[in-house]
């Protein structure tokens, strides 16, 4: 059996006490004369399944996780603000409001590869001001074209045969 040593978090005394000082909730002071503060560590679960220590967010960093993605189609370009931890499926939902293409009709390409709906933007490497290409699905485009043609022509009209 292996014995593990615990790490010390404070210099000097191992007794926790505030020494008569007022301390915020969740924090403890180390020793009577030392001003070192020990606070509770908060954890968060990243979308990839990794457990990491949660970052401290100050009031000035509002929207730190927001990025602007430049989405270009064949004829237009759109700047979309979205959370960096969003999926490509969520980006498609936002683009459906802008382009009037349903999410199933959209194909998003980043770095030359088509991305699936369940892939996360930050896991693939999408950063602020990166460009994503939006294409309409060719199969659905052809179906729309056939439906338009079918609406203008009468399909199944009997033809008269002439015999000589």
């Amino acid at each position: 059996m292996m014995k593990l040593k615990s790490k010390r978090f404070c210099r000097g005394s191992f007794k926790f006490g505030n020494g008569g000082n007022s301390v915020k909730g969740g924090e403890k002071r180390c020793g009577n004369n030392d001003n070192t503060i020990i606070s509770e560590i908060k954890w968060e679960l990243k979308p990839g399944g990794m457990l990491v220590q949660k970052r401290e967010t100050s009031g000035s960093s509002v929207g730190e996780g927001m990025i602007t993605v430049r989405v270009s189609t064949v004829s237009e370009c759109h700047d979309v603000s979205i959370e960096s931890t969003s999926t490509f499926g969520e980006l498609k939902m936002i683009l459906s409001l802008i382009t009037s293409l349903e999410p199933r009709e959209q194909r998003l390409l980043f770095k030359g590869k088509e991305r699936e709906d369940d892939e996360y933007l930050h896991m693939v490497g999408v950063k602020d001001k990166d460009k994503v290409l939006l294409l309409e699905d060719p199969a659905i485009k052809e179906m729309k074209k056939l439906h338009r043609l079918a609406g203008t022509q009468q399909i199944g009209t009997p033809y008269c045969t002439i015999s000589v």
Side-chain angles (χ1 to χ4, degrees):
M1 185 183 323
M2 191 181 247
K3 191 173 184 180
L4 300 174
K5 291 183 178 181
S6 62
K7 293 185 179 181
R8 277 202 280 185
F9 290 100
C10 57
R11 292 179 261 145
S13 176
F14 289 96
K15 294 181 181 179
F16 290 107
N18 59 6
N21 298 330
S22 62
V23 179
K24 295 178 189 175
E27 296 180 344
K28 296 179 181 177
R29 292 206 184 267
C30 186
N32 290 334
N33 298 330
D34 199 355
N35 288 331
T36 306
I37 297 175
I38 298 176
S39 61
E40 182 180 334
I41 297 174
K42 297 188 181 175
W43 299 94
E44 67 177 326
L45 187 63
K46 292 286 184 180
M50 185 180 292
L51 186 67
V52 295
Q53 186 175 352
K54 191 170 186 174
R55 291 183 183 172
E56 293 295 324
T57 56
S58 62
S60 62
S61 64
V62 175
E64 183 176 297
M66 295 294 285
I67 59 172
T68 302
V69 179
R70 178 162 286 215
V71 181
S72 63
T73 61
V74 177
S75 60
E76 298 175 330
C77 191
H78 306 282
D79 288 335
V80 179
S81 292
I82 192 168
E83 287 280 332
S84 63
T85 56
S86 299
T87 62
F88 279 93
E90 292 168 352
L91 181 59
K92 283 183 179 183
M93 292 297 288
I94 294 170
L95 289 171
S96 68
L97 300 172
I98 299 170
T99 62
S100 72
L101 285 174
E102 291 183 31
R104 65 180 181 86
E105 298 173 353
Q106 300 174 12
R107 296 290 174 254
L108 292 176
L109 282 83
F110 179 68
K111 291 187 178 178
K113 295 180 183 175
E114 183 177 343
R115 301 300 175 172
E116 297 297 322
D117 290 350
D118 59 345
E119 288 184 273
Y120 290 92
L121 297 173
H122 72 286
M123 297 292 273
V124 172
V126 178
K127 304 268 190 268
D128 194 30
K129 307 274 195 247
D130 277 353
K131 186 175 181 179
V132 175
L133 185 63
L134 171 65
L135 299 174
E136 188 175 357
D137 187 14
I140 294 177
K141 195 174 185 179
E142 286 297 318
M143 285 178 52
K144 284 183 179 180
K145 191 175 183 183
L146 288 174
H147 284 294
R148 275 187 296 219
L149 288 174
T152 59
Q153 296 178 355
Q154 293 180 351
I155 298 176
T157 310
Y159 288 98
C160 298
T161 55
I162 302 173
S163 57
V164 181

